[in-house]
Amino acid sequence: MLNIKDIRKIEWSQVEPEPLGGDLAEDLGKIINKFVKYSLNDWWKGKGFNKESKNEYLAMKGPYDRVIRQSVYIAKTISACVKFKFYDESEVGFKLFVARDRYMKLLRSCLYHHSANISGGWGLNDEHLQVVTELLYVCWLVWDKLNIRDQQLAINVLNSEIKKAKDYEINYNFSPDGSSNDLFECQTIVNMDNANLLYLASVMISKNSLSAELREKAILAYRACFSSKEDSDMQGYNVAEDMLLYRFDTRSPFAISYIGVGIKAFIFSKIAEQDLPSGVTRNFKQIYSTFYSSTTNDDGRKTGLFTIYDKKNRPQGGVLYPDGMRGGKVNESALYVMDIFAFCLGVSDVNDITPREWAKVRMKEIEKNFKKNFKYTIQGCNQYRFLHGEAVCSQLADCYLALFLYLVAKKADNNFVDKFSREEYGQEPDGEA
């Protein structure tokens, strides 16, 4: 069993947060602050949390994972804003200490209500993996701000989740001979959720002997996520011969968007000063390129998963569902994560368009969706389930942190010491391309 002393503290002197400049980061900072404004005002009051300010822990209004999900995602987004110093008091309407107090209360309350700490708590079904990974990750970011009691609550959650993740069996959509395993869920999704939890746990306890075991299984799960028929070293594969991911026997934009979830492993690695496991990026470029590629039939209709309207000025697109909606909807923020991950990995042009340009297109769609519906902040939760996927605010916080850590690593590689304020991404120091 792990204890508090097993947690590796982040060396913030090596990863000193500074507000980023450049078009990608400025776009992200602006829209994330709009999400935080909604979260600390309408959402906070709507949950009745303003009436519970004197309570030690907030009431989570039920043990169901989807109820907890909103609180975890919002706590993560606000903490990223504060910790990485792009919180805008004038936009949000609250002083910095208010935001800090509220995200800490959300974190502590979500820990307290987990099934590892309270009878009948959340975390007992398969949908909780994404949420508990996010919760533990944010606790790690602010570990020095948690009191001893709450650190122990986090350790209880970590021990409980590690025990379950260690026992899960890696599965595949297809057997080695190419036959479908007819499993209910896309195994890339299941494997990725388990891999992220295992990998995060391994870096959080990197000084413990258990870390190597968790990391090894995480890498196997990552490799399984995007294994193709040509990857004969596995016991099956998940990517079909057309280099697309399937869900319920259909080509699925939702499943394919999961290649972007690997951005979490990128963040965990950089913060822990470890190398990114190659399994995280296995076949990434081929899947990413195939998703954006499209061909035109004789009737002029696009056949790829992504429709490209390549008009006069800029690319603009929308997702196709060639096999019907059964494969699951996908939101713009999931595609944005794919683009930012591709950018950080140095993926070249796709259909003559760079991942950076795709990211700009996606951001315009995200901003437009937010203007139409300010509740767009928390996609994939409760009454907003019609928009499938993780919370937009959480995904965009991942993108900001990934960009920050990418630039930190690039500057370190070039022995370049300076503040990060105005440098454009994709350029080397002294203006060299």
Side-chain angles (χ1 to χ4, degrees):
M1 297 290 287
L2 301 171
N3 57 54
I4 293 174
K5 294 181 180 179
D6 287 314
I7 300 298
R8 170 184 172 170
K9 294 183 180 179
I10 298 172
E11 297 292 337
W12 288 111
S13 60
Q14 301 297 319
V15 189
E16 183 182 356
E18 289 283 350
L20 291 175
D23 52 358
L24 295 182
E26 288 179 354
D27 286 346
L28 275 169
K30 289 177 182 177
I31 197 69
I32 290 174
N33 273 290
K34 290 181 184 293
F35 292 156
V36 171
K37 179 180 181 179
Y38 165 69
S39 302
L40 292 182
N41 288 277
D42 297 42
W43 181 85
W44 188 268
K45 293 177 182 177
K47 289 292 183 181
F49 292 156
N50 56 316
K51 299 177 182 179
E52 302 177 31
S53 58
K54 295 182 180 180
N55 297 349
E56 185 175 8
Y57 298 108
L58 300 169
M60 291 288 103
K61 311 298 189 286
Y64 305 106
D65 293 1
R66 290 181 186 173
V67 177
I68 299 293
R69 187 182 304 181
Q70 293 181 356
S71 298
V72 173
Y73 287 157
I74 287 173
K76 173 189 170 182
T77 307
I78 301 171
S79 64
C81 249
V82 173
K83 190 72 179 178
F84 288 80
K85 300 182 180 179
F86 62 100
Y87 180 83
D88 187 343
E89 291 183 351
S90 61
E91 170 65 34
V92 176
F94 287 105
K95 294 294 184 180
L96 188 64
F97 74 88
V98 176
R100 185 182 293 111
D101 289 348
R102 289 189 178 180
Y103 80 67
M104 287 300 297
K105 194 141 203 174
L106 285 172
L107 283 180
R108 297 174 62 246
S109 301
C110 290
L111 287 172
Y112 175 76
H113 288 285
H114 189 272
S115 57
N117 294 312
I118 190 172
S119 177
W122 66 280
L124 297 175
N125 67 45
D126 292 338
E127 287 194 352
H128 83 286
L129 277 172
Q130 292 179 13
V131 185
V132 79
T133 300
E134 300 283 37
L135 176 61
L136 290 170
Y137 165 51
V138 185
C139 287
W140 188 41
L141 287 181
V142 299
W143 191 255
D144 58 336
K145 304 297 183 185
L146 294 174
N147 61 39
I148 295 296
R149 181 185 178 188
D150 291 322
Q151 287 180 347
Q152 186 58 54
L153 293 178
I155 291 295
N156 295 343
V157 174
L158 184 61
N159 279 321
S160 172
E161 297 301 331
I162 285 176
K163 182 179 179 180
K164 289 183 283 187
K166 281 176 60 181
D167 294 337
Y168 105 96
E169 182 179 356
I170 296 175
N171 284 312
Y172 304 84
N173 293 329
F174 301 99
S175 299
D177 62 2
S179 60
S180 172
N181 288 328
D182 295 325
L183 298 170
F184 175 74
E185 184 58 278
C186 172
Q187 293 308 297
T188 285
I189 295 173
V190 177
N191 291 336
M192 180 62 90
D193 287 345
N194 280 279
N196 280 335
L197 175 61
L198 286 163
Y199 190 64
L200 171 64
S202 77
V203 298
M204 287 180 69
I205 61 165
S206 57
K207 295 181 181 179
N208 186 287
S209 58
L210 180 60
S211 175
E213 179 185 344
L214 299 180
R215 179 183 171 88
E216 181 179 354
K217 182 154 189 179
I219 293 173
L220 286 174
Y222 281 131
R223 292 176 63 206
C225 287
F226 310 121
S227 55
S228 68
K229 193 172 185 179
E230 285 69 36
D231 298 324
S232 56
D233 57 333
M234 309 300 285
Q235 297 178 0
Y237 62 96
N238 284 318
V239 184
E241 293 184 9
D242 57 8
M243 292 309 294
L244 294 176
L245 285 162
Y246 282 60
R247 188 181 187 213
F248 311 132
D249 297 322
T250 65
R251 290 175 287 176
S252 170
F254 175 62
I256 292 168
S257 73
Y258 252 65
I259 64 174
V261 182
I263 203 172
K264 297 184 187 302
F266 177 85
I267 293 170
F268 303 159
S269 292
K270 295 298 183 184
I271 289 179
E273 300 179 82
Q274 296 181 1
D275 293 331
L276 180 68
S278 60
V280 179
T281 60
R282 186 174 187 139
N283 295 325
F284 177 93
K285 183 176 180 179
Q286 296 92 321
I287 300 170
Y288 179 77
S289 299
T290 302
F291 177 77
Y292 276 104
S293 298
S294 61
T295 56
T296 305
N297 289 334
D298 293 338
D299 60 1
R301 303 181 74 178
K302 300 286 185 178
T303 58
L305 286 179
F306 202 90
T307 305
I308 300 173
Y309 305 96
D310 195 6
K311 300 297 184 181
K312 295 181 180 179
N313 299 318
R314 65 176 178 83
Q316 188 176 20
V319 178
L320 283 177
Y321 300 89
D323 300 326
M325 294 301 297
R326 193 162 177 258
K329 290 185 178 182
V330 64
N331 58 48
E332 297 290 343
S333 57
L335 301 180
Y336 189 90
V337 174
M338 288 171 55
D339 296 329
I340 295 299
F341 195 26
F343 173 76
C344 292
L345 294 178
V347 173
S348 57
D349 295 0
V350 179
N351 287 348
D352 299 322
I353 301 167
T354 66
R356 178 175 181 159
E357 289 175 307
W358 281 123
K360 291 181 181 180
V361 174
R362 303 273 63 79
M363 177 53 69
K364 290 185 182 298
E365 295 297 316
I366 291 168
E367 290 174 336
K368 184 169 66 175
N369 288 333
F370 184 74
K371 288 180 180 178
K372 290 181 179 179
N373 174 20
F374 57 86
K375 296 177 182 177
Y376 182 74
T377 309
I378 41 182
Q379 279 192 6
C381 304
N382 280 2
Q383 63 267 42
Y384 315 122
R385 191 66 180 174
F386 65 91
L387 290 171
H388 212 321
E390 295 184 19
V392 174
C393 57
S394 175
Q395 290 177 322
L396 297 187
D398 278 340
C399 291
Y400 190 98
L401 269 59
L403 286 171
F404 173 87
L405 293 164
Y406 160 79
L407 188 55
V408 168
K410 192 171 78 168
K411 287 179 179 291
D413 290 342
N414 287 277
N415 295 317
F416 184 75
V417 180
D418 197 356
K419 297 299 183 183
F420 310 130
S421 56
R422 304 305 306 169
E423 179 159 339
E424 288 284 332
Y425 302 106
Q427 295 180 352
E428 297 296 340
D430 301 325
E432 296 177 3

